Amino acid sequence: MQSATLEAMQTALRGPVIGPKDAEYSQARKVYNAMIDRHPAAIVPCSDAADVMSALTFVRDAGLEVAVRGGGHSGPGLCLVDGGVTIDLSPMRGVRVDPVARTAQVGGGSRLGDLDHATHAFGLATPTGIISMTGVGGLTLGGGHGYLTRKYGLTVDNLLAADVVLADGSFVTASETEHPDLFWALRGGGGNFGIVTSFTYRLHPVDTVGGAITVWPVERTREVLAWYRDFLPQASEDVYGFFSLFVIPPGPPFPEEIHGRKMCGVVWCYTGDPSRFEESLTAVREPGPPAFHFTAPMPYPALQGMLDDVIPSGYQWYWRGDFFDRIPDAAMDVHLKYGESLPTPLSLMHLYPVDGAAHRVGPDDTAWAYRDAVWSGVLAGVDPDPANAEAIRQWCVDFWEELHPYSMGGSYVNFMGTGEGQERVRATYRDHYDRLAQVKRTYDPDNVLHANQNIRPAQRQ
C-alpha cells in the first residue's frame, strides 16, 4: 500500500489504522498460530458496526484485498493477507445476556471465554468449542461443536440472528424471517457472505458440570478406541467425551509418574444429575484399568478453559481434519501407529462426537452438510520451536493421508488447513455447495470476501 493510500484510510476511518511503520504493527499482526507470518498493508481495529462498514467500503473502493479477524484463532491464518487489509473485530467483545428470554447477544470479536463468563452468572450456556480463547465468530460460522453438542446441538443450531456487514458495505440482520437465505448460509458456510458484527444465541441451563479425564498407555489404543466407538453413541446425551492421542503434560491433575508419557484417553463432560456423575462413567474400566482417572465437579467455564494453558497462543501449528461415521478396525491401526510416533509433546489427535441433538436437525436446515457424521476429527502438530515446523507438518500430513480413506470425504471447515484446494472445499459442503454459491452471488458477487475457505459466487446464467 502506498503511503498516500494509507494516509487516506487513516483520515477516512473513525478508528485507528495500523500500518507497518507503527509501533503496534508487530503485535497487531500476531495470531494464535505462530507458523503464520504474513504482513498486511494495514490492520483496522473496529469498535462497532459503523467502523466495519466504513473500513470495508474504503478497502473495496481502493481495490485492496481484505481479511477479517475475530479471535485470531484460525489455524491457517485466514485473518491475515499479505499486502491487504485486516478488518479486526477484536475490540468488539461485549456480551449482553437476557436471562428471561435465555438469549445472549455477543460482539463479533468476542471469545468463548467472554460468552461463558457472562452466561454462567445466570446458570446458562450455549454449545461452543473446548478452548476459551477461540473466537465466537469463526467457530460459529463454521458450525461449532464442543462439550454441549450431544445434548444441545451445534453452535449454529442455537444461533437466532446475526448482524452482518455485507461486501458492499451495507448492513442487514439475518434470521429465520429476515434474509433467511443468508441466515441459512451463515450457519456453517464460513466467512464467505459478510462480516458478522453481532451474534444472538439461544441459551440452555448449564451450571456445574462433571469434568473427567481418563487415560491409558498409547499401546492400548486399539482396545480403548474400540470400546469408545461402541460406548459413546449409545450413552446418555448428558455424557460427552472426546477421544485423544496426546502426551501427558507436567502438572496437575496428572501424577508425576505419567508425565511425558504418550497416552490415549477421553476428556469427559457430564451435564446430568450430579448424583449420577460417577455412575455414568463406570464403564471406563471395560477396556482395562486406566493409568489415570480423574473426576471433579466444576463450573462449566472452568472446563472450557482447562486446556488453555496447555496449548497457549504463539506456538507452531499445523492441522487437518475429517468427518467420520464409523471407526473400522483398520483405522484403529492408523491411530495406534501415529499415536506411538507423536512428533512433539504437544502434538495430538482428537475425535469430537457430533451426534445426539446435532442429528435431530434436518440435513438441509443449515449449511453444515454432515448431519450424518458421528465424529469430527482433527490431527494437529504443535510445538513452540519453529525448527520443528516441518516435522509436525509432515507427521500431520502422513497421518491424514493414511486415515482419510476411512473418512466421509469432507472436513469441518474450521479444521481445514492451508492449500487443501477447491475440491476439498466442495467435499466439505457436499450437495450444499451449489446453493451456497448462489447465496454468495447474491450477497458477494465479486468475491470480495475470499480470504477464507472460499465458496466462489455462482456464474450468472
Side-chain angles (χ1 to χ4, degrees):
M1 184 187 295
Q2 296 181 350
S3 297
T5 305
L6 182 59
E7 290 172 4
M9 181 181 290
Q10 291 169 329
T11 301
L13 300 181
R14 174 172 167 264
V17 177
I18 302 170
K21 295 181 180 179
D22 293 318
E24 318 93 294
Y25 179 77
S26 293
Q27 183 62 35
R29 72 181 187 89
K30 287 183 179 179
V31 291
Y32 186 79
N33 183 0
M35 198 178 284
I36 306 302
D37 184 25
R38 298 194 184 123
H39 295 76
I43 298 164
V44 185
C46 297
S47 60
D48 53 28
D51 278 355
V52 176
M53 294 165 71
S54 297
L56 185 56
T57 299
F58 187 96
V59 172
R60 188 196 64 240
D61 291 349
L64 299 168
E65 281 199 274
V66 63
V68 182
R69 177 163 63 191
H73 202 265
S74 166
L78 299 174
C79 46
L80 299 176
V81 58
D82 284 323
V85 175
T86 289
I87 294 178
D88 184 2
L89 307 183
S90 60
M92 301 171 64
R93 290 181 67 171
V95 179
R96 183 184 183 279
V97 178
D98 183 336
V100 176
R102 289 186 175 177
T103 62
Q105 187 173 26
V106 185
S110 300
R111 297 181 180 182
L112 305 191
D114 302 323
L115 174 59
D116 294 332
H117 170 78
T119 59
H120 184 68
F122 302 97
L124 300 169
T126 200
T128 54
I130 66 162
I131 300 285
S132 73
M133 296 180 291
T134 305
V136 299
L139 178 124
T140 300
L141 296 174
H145 58 67
Y147 291 117
L148 302 180
T149 289
R150 298 194 73 233
K151 188 166 186 178
Y152 294 126
L154 304 174
T155 307
V156 291
D157 300 338
N158 295 276
L159 183 65
L160 299 175
D163 291 339
V164 189
V165 175
L166 301 178
D168 64 1
S170 63
F171 177 91
V172 300
T173 296
S175 67
E176 291 283 5
T177 56
E178 300 178 84
H179 300 278
D181 56 339
L182 175 61
F183 187 57
W184 176 85
L186 292 174
R187 288 177 291 167
N192 278 281
F193 309 98
I195 301 175
V196 180
T197 59
S198 175
F199 299 86
T200 300
Y201 300 104
R202 178 188 302 110
L203 304 177
H204 304 273
V206 179
D207 194 348
T208 298
V209 299
I213 304 173
T214 313
V215 300
W216 295 261
V218 71
E219 56 266 24
R220 301 284 308 284
T221 295
R222 288 192 191 93
E223 306 99 278
V224 176
L225 189 49
W227 165 79
Y228 171 82
R229 170 190 67 185
D230 297 335
F231 166 76
L232 193 66
Q234 54 80 38
S236 163
E237 290 175 7
D238 284 321
V239 178
Y240 174 97
F242 71 82
F243 181 87
S244 181
L245 297 167
F246 68 114
V247 176
I248 299 293
F254 301 106
E256 187 173 350
E257 59 266 24
I258 64 171
H259 289 177
R261 291 183 58 186
K262 295 175 182 177
M263 293 281 183
C264 64
V266 183
V267 178
W268 305 97
C269 174
Y270 177 74
T271 52
D273 180 349
S275 67
R276 302 191 64 182
F277 173 36
E278 298 288 347
E279 176 189 342
S280 72
L281 295 182
T282 54
V284 299
R285 299 193 175 276
E286 291 181 9
F292 176 71
H293 178 60
F294 166 84
T295 63
M298 61 184 69
Y300 178 66
L303 179 64
Q304 282 282 76
M306 186 172 65
L307 300 179
D308 289 1
D309 292 338
V310 178
I311 313 177
S313 177
Y315 285 2
Q316 305 286 308
W317 276 80
Y318 189 89
W319 64 28
R320 289 195 180 185
D322 266 321
F323 286 118
F324 301 89
D325 58 359
R326 58 193 178 90
I327 306 174
D329 292 347
M332 296 178 196
D333 293 336
V334 178
H335 285 298
L336 174 61
K337 173 182 176 181
Y338 287 93
E340 290 181 327
S341 63
L342 287 161
T344 62
L346 294 173
S347 296
L348 54 86
M349 182 284 297
H350 288 173
L351 281 172
Y352 301 102
V354 287
D355 59 336
H359 280 189
R360 292 194 289 276
V361 177
D364 299 324
D365 289 353
T366 66
W368 174 280
Y370 279 85
R371 292 291 173 178
D372 51 344
V374 182
W375 291 280
S376 172
V378 64
L379 323 169
V382 188
D383 196 70
D385 188 350
N388 290 327
E390 179 55 27
I392 62 176
R393 188 200 72 82
Q394 194 60 55
W395 173 84
C396 184
V397 171
D398 291 346
F399 193 170
W400 183 86
E401 288 181 348
E402 288 197 41
L403 193 62
H404 182 65
Y406 307 106
S407 77
M408 301 174 74
S411 170
Y412 178 37
V413 67
N414 291 341
F415 289 159
M416 292 177 64
T418 54
E420 293 195 42
Q422 194 66 19
E423 286 307 309
R424 182 76 166 141
V425 176
R426 282 186 169 272
T428 289
Y429 291 110
R430 293 168 131 180
D431 294 342
H432 291 172
Y433 185 90
D434 289 342
R435 180 178 173 184
L436 287 164
Q438 293 289 340
V439 177
K440 178 76 168 177
R441 187 177 73 181
T442 300
Y443 291 96
D444 185 12
D446 298 322
N447 205 12
V448 172
L449 298 168
H450 63 264
N452 44 46
Q453 302 295 355
N454 194 233
I455 297 166
R456 296 170 181 166
Q459 296 298 311
R460 297 191 182 278
Q461 300 300 316

